[in-house]
Amino acid sequence: MPRRSLALVLFASLLAACGSAPPSPSPPASPGGPSSSAGSTPATVAPSPAASADPAAIGHAFIDALSRGDTAGAQAMEDAAMLAAAPAPKLGQLWQGLVAQYGAFQSIGTTSTQSQPPYTIAVVAVAFAGATVTLTVAVNSSGQVGGLHVAAVGPAPSAGPAGSPPPPSASPAAYVDQAAFSERAVTVGSAPWALPGTLSMPDGAGPFPGVVLVQGSGPMDRDGTVGPNKPYRDLAWGLASAGIAVLRYDKRTYVYGAQMAASASTVTVRQETTDDAVAAVAVLRATPGVDPSRVYLVGHSLGAYLAPRIAAQAPGRLHGIGLLEAPSSGLAQLILDQEGYLASLQGSPSPSAQDALASLRAQVALAESPALSASTPASSLPLGIPASYWLDLRTYDPLATASGLGIPMFFSQGGRDYQVPPSELGPWERALAGRTGVVFRTYPAMDHLLLDGSGTPSPAEYSVPGHVDAQLVADLAAWIRTGTG
């Protein structure tokens, strides 16, 4: 993938990634997002492990150091394996990824512990502007930190007192007619990776055209929850209101995060996204009331990047694919560009931010070089994403794959998307020039989450309640209903 996708940054925190600690027993969850605070000058030095034999206090102190930008203090708390995997610059980079994903750091909440020999796991609730994130810190018997993982992601901290009205996005968008469709639970795939999903089915006899929604990267729920926003629910409800059946489901990395983290060193994009999307297509195609000859796949961000690959692998012929905010260039460069953009929002990046960018730049160069092999350690690669993932992506050319499909396609591009910027649309347009049935639409006010806004794009806007751009929903529904897709 290419230049900037919020969902992409999250893959690191998804597999959590530092050190040799075992994964948290709790599954991770969705994404979110505002600006970075990782580069601030530390006011104090985090206490060393010897300062307290209490794993809860050690975990709290480790997260506190990261939140203040005291990566040197956090590094001093690590054991040898963790230090090799995540020295101070890498810790800063990982924290910046969390902030970019979930929003500005706010506070550290309750901390509890769980026994998971040979570690005690400190379970730390951390409030960011866009979500409440449960981080687990593995503490060894010597009081040193051996791992850091994202265990779960919940709603953002309450913005008002109990009993206050829900945020606007808790209510349906104006284009949603909840009397026009119903929803029921479905299961995508089978054991050991069965995924819960929701089918939004229009009222009436049908058969209806159907859409499978495929999310961006990272541990994401079926609604695409980011802070107060649920863009995939908006899409599903908007399309169902227009007479289109929609299947959406929780990602494998959301439901089975701990299990996936256990085999992090061999994970590929197939396990993260592709296999489950293919299974979802089969479920929707077999659903009574859905026209099996008119099944579409609509992907967002990483899901859009992979949509041609999924279409090529799905049994039978998809009627069309929608690519919403689709990268066209390499994922490693996309991550680097996004991190550079986020650093630029601070004005003059702090020394720790500059160190993190320099470290990331070297990791991107390795990920893109012929020297990359299955034995390259994840700690040497962007965001701790394992070599298996990068090597899998090397076998995929999205533009060439799309060119060879011969099916209708719909592309959306937001003018305010700093994660997959407008420049990413050009290669798709050139690769598919002259093809009939290919539609390109741009939405000047739209950001990466498909929400409208104004001003300088930044992660902070993801914590503002909103709904998916109404014109995008109307255009996508019309493309599907009229058969041009």
Side-chain angles (χ1 to χ4, degrees), residues 150-251:
V150 174
V153 180
S158 175
S164 60
S169 62
S171 303
Y175 46 74
V176 172
D177 179 4
Q178 290 187 291
F181 65 94
S182 60
E183 295 194 308
R184 67 175 186 267
V186 296
T187 299
V188 171
S190 57
W193 306 113
L195 301 174
T198 298
L199 176 68
S200 303
M201 179 65 76
D203 291 341
F208 304 103
V211 166
V212 169
L213 294 181
V214 181
Q215 309 100 316
S217 68
M220 193 175 298
D221 69 12
R222 72 196 72 179
D223 293 337
T225 303
V226 176
N229 298 299
K230 297 180 179 292
Y232 302 152
R233 188 188 70 176
D234 284 350
L235 283 171
W237 287 6
L239 294 177
S241 298
I244 299 162
V246 182
L247 171 60
R248 66 195 195 274
Y249 54 94
D250 294 341
K251 282 188 66 176

Side-chain angles (χ1 to χ4, degrees), residues 121-172:
I121 307 299
V123 182
V124 186
V126 183
F128 293 88
T132 300
V133 180
T134 301
L135 297 176
T136 59
V137 181
V139 181
N140 68 19
S141 59
S142 299
Q144 296 173 306
V145 172
L148 170 67
H149 299 267
V150 174
V153 180
S158 175
S164 60
S169 62
S171 303

Side-chain angles (χ1 to χ4, degrees), residues 89-131:
K90 183 65 172 287
L91 289 174
Q93 179 183 325
L94 288 169
W95 185 261
Q96 286 180 352
L98 291 172
V99 171
Q101 180 68 21
Y102 301 115
F105 168 76
Q106 294 186 342
S107 63
I108 300 174
T110 58
T111 302
S112 60
T113 59
Q114 301 172 353
S115 177
Q116 193 171 341
Y119 296 92
T120 299
I121 307 299
V123 182
V124 186
V126 183
F128 293 88

Side-chain angles (χ1 to χ4, degrees), residues 18 29 87 129 138 155 167 220 232 248 261 288 326 336 377 392 423 431 433 459:
C18 317
M220 193 175 298
Y232 302 152
R248 66 195 195 274
L336 180 59
D392 182 24
S423 58

Side-chain angles (χ1 to χ4, degrees), residues 285-453:
R285 188 170 270 145
T287 298
V290 173
D291 183 347
S293 68
R294 298 172 66 201
V295 171
Y296 299 76
L297 183 137
V298 175
H300 172 244
S301 192
L302 176 66
Y305 180 75
L306 295 172
R309 189 185 216 185
I310 297 165
Q313 295 178 0
R317 182 179 184 274
L318 285 173
H319 202 61
I321 55 176
L323 297 89
L324 312 181
E325 311 308 287
S328 58
S329 38
L331 168 57
Q333 185 62 46
L334 179 72
I335 292 172
L336 180 59
D337 288 354
Q338 174 175 306
E339 291 300 308
Y341 179 85
L342 293 174
S344 74
L345 296 179
Q346 304 175 29
S348 298
S350 66
S352 67
Q354 293 177 29
D355 288 345
L357 282 173
S359 175
L360 179 59
R361 198 170 293 114
Q363 293 164 354
V364 167
L366 177 56
E368 295 179 337
S369 78
L372 179 68
S373 71
S375 62
T376 303
S379 58
S380 299
L381 296 168
L383 301 179
I385 300 173
S388 55
Y389 194 88
W390 300 108
L391 292 169
D392 182 24
L393 285 176
R394 281 192 179 182
T395 68
Y396 173 54
D397 182 336
L399 302 179
T401 304
S403 298
L405 287 177
I407 60 176
M409 302 179 200
F410 176 99
F411 289 82
S412 80
Q413 179 60 56
R416 298 184 62 260
D417 187 345
Y418 72 85
Q419 298 177 262
V420 179
S423 58
E424 290 298 312
L425 191 62
W428 292 108
E429 292 174 320
R430 291 188 291 274
L432 299 168
R435 280 275 307 275
T436 59
V438 179
V439 175
F440 294 94
R441 295 283 184 267
T442 57
Y443 305 88
M446 198 171 76
D447 64 19
H448 189 66
L449 292 189
L450 314 177
L451 313 176
D452 289 342

